Amino acid sequence: MSIEILSRDAAEARTGPDIMRFLGVTTSRSSIQALFPRWVRALGLPAARLIGQDLPLGSPPETYRAAVADLVADPHTCGALITSHKTGVHAAAADLFDELDDYARLCGEISLITKREGRLLGAARDVVTAARALRELLPPSHFARTGGHALCLGAGGAGLAIAVLLLERHADRPERLVVTDVVPERLRRVRDVAAILGAPVDARCAPSGDDLLAGLPDGSLVVNATGMGKDRPGSPIGDAALFPRRAVVWELNYRGPLDFLRQARRQAARRGLRVADGWRYFLHGWTDHIGGVFGITIGEETFARLDTIAHTSGES
């Protein structure tokens, strides 16, 4: 497939709005639909528009290649954020990009697409944005102080990114990191990435996390990165499963039935849990990708303003 990207000068010669694409599964239900217009006004981009494109999970390669080609062909589209199709886009269309960043190559996924001076760029930003959200949950010396381990339920794009950031947490890496999934290929990718990073990981096929929870020491980190409770019903643990005492429990979803989150909250008081949903992860992810698509820097002060807008919008 041959792809021609307009240079910035050529694109600016076309009148029309600056467009950001959103490739997901149920994009119309995302809180970003209400937040995006308010955020871009605050960022001085009042003409910017967000266009969602829903694709079935596990779409065929030609669907992903067509989505990238359509994005490139539209002179008004500046780039895109990709949620559930990050690995699919990379596997099917990596050769269409002029450049991929280090995390895109390491993790085999693309979450951010940008068009710069006639070049198509792909990046995997989940490691960066997940790290920002995790800093709000864990102090720098959490694992050294508590002796806790880390259990990441799910090894898809978000789960792999969290595994990478924990393995790269050199000053305070958990003594043991367990990553689960039911898809062998995802587990192989986790092992391959851990080998490249030179860090140990216990990647195992486990449809339920109950037994693994029972073996975790106090103060452990438990993450639901399965998508269950949002894209799919249910929870990766049973109602009788017990979280470790003083655990940090992170549900990456912020909308949907959120069964895992409810299970954690029911135990929070008696087990001394710190429980968080995926809302802050959502905020960090979207603000980072909007900045990337439109070529603007969103620092701490600007993020705080956008956070305030989100808080006052009633979307959280």
Side-chain angles (χ1 to χ4, degrees):
M1 180 183 295
S2 176
I3 291 188
E4 177 185 358
I5 304 175
L6 291 175
S7 69
R8 180 174 293 275
D9 289 342
E12 288 176 349
R14 308 285 186 90
T15 59
D18 288 332
I19 292 172
M20 177 175 180
R21 303 285 183 103
F22 173 17
L23 273 62
V25 178
T26 54
T27 58
S28 63
R29 300 181 196 171
S30 174
S31 294
I32 195 60
Q33 299 294 349
L35 285 178
F36 187 86
R38 302 182 65 192
W39 275 356
V40 292
R41 284 197 298 271
L43 292 170
L45 302 167
R49 290 174 50 206
L50 181 69
I51 295 180
Q53 183 176 358
D54 292 347
L55 301 175
L57 289 171
S59 291
E62 56 267 24
T63 298
Y64 292 129
R65 290 180 72 85
V68 173
D70 183 61
L71 178 154
V72 170
D74 181 2
H76 303 306
T77 295
C78 301
L81 175 144
I82 305 170
T83 53
S84 304
H85 306 291
K86 295 184 288 284
T87 57
V89 169
H90 183 280
D95 63 297
L96 301 180
F97 289 80
D98 296 292
E99 183 181 329
L100 297 176
D101 77 348
D102 291 342
Y103 282 132
R105 293 192 298 272
L106 175 67
C107 299
E109 64 179 50
I110 298 170
S111 70
L112 171 65
I113 300 176
T114 56
K115 294 156 70 174
R116 292 287 185 270
E117 302 301 332
R119 304 178 74 235
L120 187 66
L121 311 180
R125 297 292 296 173
D126 279 0
V127 177
V128 176
T129 57
R132 291 172 183 166
L134 193 63
R135 278 199 298 268
E136 299 175 359
L137 295 176
L138 297 181
S141 60
H142 173 83
F143 294 109
R145 178 175 55 81
T146 66
H149 296 174
L151 170 62
C152 184
L153 301 165
L160 177 61
I162 288 168
V164 169
L165 76 88
L166 290 172
L167 294 174
E168 289 188 332
R169 195 179 163 101
H170 302 297
D172 188 45
R173 181 188 297 164
E175 178 183 335
R176 180 171 178 247
L177 168 62
V178 182
V179 182
T180 72
D181 210 285
V182 296
V183 180
E185 177 56 34
R186 292 177 178 174
L187 296 173
R188 282 195 294 271
R189 191 169 71 248
V190 170
R191 296 187 191 103
D192 289 345
V193 167
I196 292 171
L197 296 176
V201 66
D202 182 355
R204 60 174 67 189
C205 184
S208 170
D210 293 30
D211 292 341
L212 294 169
L213 273 183
L216 291 176
D218 294 351
S220 291
L221 170 69
V222 183
V223 183
N224 176 28
T226 64
M228 296 182 73
K230 178 193 165 193
D231 295 331
R232 295 178 289 130
S235 168
I237 64 171
D239 284 337
L242 283 178
F243 289 93
R245 294 186 183 279
R246 297 182 296 282
V248 176
V249 183
W250 191 15
E251 162 64 87
L252 293 192
N253 300 319
Y254 75 92
R255 62 181 175 90
L258 300 177
D259 297 317
F260 178 87
L261 185 68
R262 289 204 302 270
Q263 290 168 324
R265 284 175 172 168
R266 282 199 297 267
Q267 299 181 34
R270 61 190 173 93
R271 305 289 288 178
L273 308 180
R274 183 172 186 181
V275 181
D277 65 13
W279 180 247
R280 298 292 294 179
Y281 184 30
F282 167 87
L283 293 181
H284 282 293
W286 269 100
T287 53
D288 176 84
H289 284 70
I290 289 171
V293 167
F294 295 112
I296 57 178
T297 299
I298 297 181
E300 292 184 6
E301 183 177 337
T302 302
F303 176 82
R305 285 198 295 123
L306 300 182
D307 182 21
T308 298
I309 291 171
H311 182 72
T312 57
S313 72
E315 290 297 316
S316 59

